[in-house]
Amino acid sequence: MEVEVTSSTAKTARSYKLEPEELAFADLVATGWEPEDAWAVAIRKGATWNRTARKEAITQLLEKETTQQRIEDTKGILSKAQTERIRSEINADSKALFARATDKTSKIVELQAKLEACKDTGEWLKINQQIIDVTRMKQEETKKDDNTTHFFLPTLYPESCEYCLRNPKNKNK
């Protein structure tokens, strides 16, 4: 069966010394398709063959050096959606890791667990000092958060312009 493909696909197929159908088969296998399904979609012949003949043809095509080369070349290529999904997962993981690393309460708990484990060793003083440092940092953080500015307004306002202190008539009062 003759298939029309674009010039770039034909050029790629020629560079691998494959037919366009074989190139499509290799690409489908590289993206995770089962070879039988890739054969049915890309090659579209042999549907009436017996199972062993079709399996033999698939095996021959898979064992071709050029097909294996195309599969290896295509396996390393990720789609833009896959790349973006990987980046977003990495960003989410790094944000969660940063939040855990900077959480002072969890640090204190970790250090207290270490302190219990090494009660009789020389590290006890170091870990105790770290607990004190983290506790101070936590106290400083809570002190910095209380930056409320209070504004006080008069409760008695002038009823009209006559009674306002800015009025020239009331300057003497």
Side-chain angles (χ1 to χ4, degrees):
M1 176 180 356
E2 193 66 32
V3 177
E4 287 188 31
V5 293
T6 62
S7 61
S8 63
T9 303
K11 191 177 189 181
T12 305
R14 278 194 304 272
S15 71
Y16 283 99
K17 297 177 184 164
L18 293 171
E19 293 298 317
E21 296 91 355
E22 295 171 340
L23 181 72
F25 171 80
D27 288 347
L28 289 172
V29 170
T31 58
W33 282 50
E34 291 294 321
E36 292 81 15
D37 296 332
W39 176 272
V41 171
I43 307 296
R44 293 187 291 184
K45 67 179 179 182
T48 58
W49 298 355
N50 65 14
R51 184 171 288 182
T52 55
R54 192 170 52 244
K55 195 114 173 128
E56 192 175 302
I58 292 170
T59 306
Q60 272 184 339
L61 186 56
L62 281 173
E63 288 176 352
K64 257 177 122 173
E65 187 177 324
T66 54
T67 305
Q68 289 177 357
Q69 183 62 40
R70 177 62 182 183
I71 291 171
E72 287 302 313
D73 291 348
T74 308
K75 272 188 179 178
I77 300 172
L78 295 176
S79 69
K80 289 181 182 178
Q82 290 170 322
T83 307
E84 288 302 316
R85 188 171 58 233
I86 290 169
R87 281 192 184 129
S88 66
E89 288 176 7
I90 289 172
N91 287 340
D93 288 345
S94 64
K95 287 177 184 175
L97 180 64
F98 180 74
R100 275 197 316 266
T102 56
D103 184 31
K104 292 172 182 64
T105 307
S106 65
K107 281 292 179 198
I108 291 173
V109 171
E110 286 177 25
L111 289 171
Q112 286 176 342
K114 281 184 185 178
L115 191 66
E116 292 295 321
C118 62
K119 268 192 171 174
D120 298 330
T121 64
E123 274 187 56
W124 186 85
L125 285 174
K126 290 179 185 177
I127 294 174
N128 211 2
Q129 184 61 40
Q130 288 176 346
I131 291 173
I132 292 168
D133 291 342
V134 172
T135 308
R136 280 188 191 144
M137 287 170 40
K138 189 174 179 185
Q139 287 172 350
E140 289 172 5
E141 181 180 287
T142 56
K143 286 180 185 176
K144 289 179 184 175
D145 289 345
D146 191 25
N147 291 334
T148 308
T149 305
H150 298 279
F151 294 100
F152 296 98
L153 300 172
T155 54
L156 298 173
Y157 291 102
E159 295 174 8
S160 68
C161 291
E162 298 175 12
Y163 300 111
C164 182
L165 294 175
R166 292 186 167 197
N167 191 348
K169 293 179 185 176
N170 294 329
K171 289 285 183 190
N172 297 334
K173 289 183 180 179

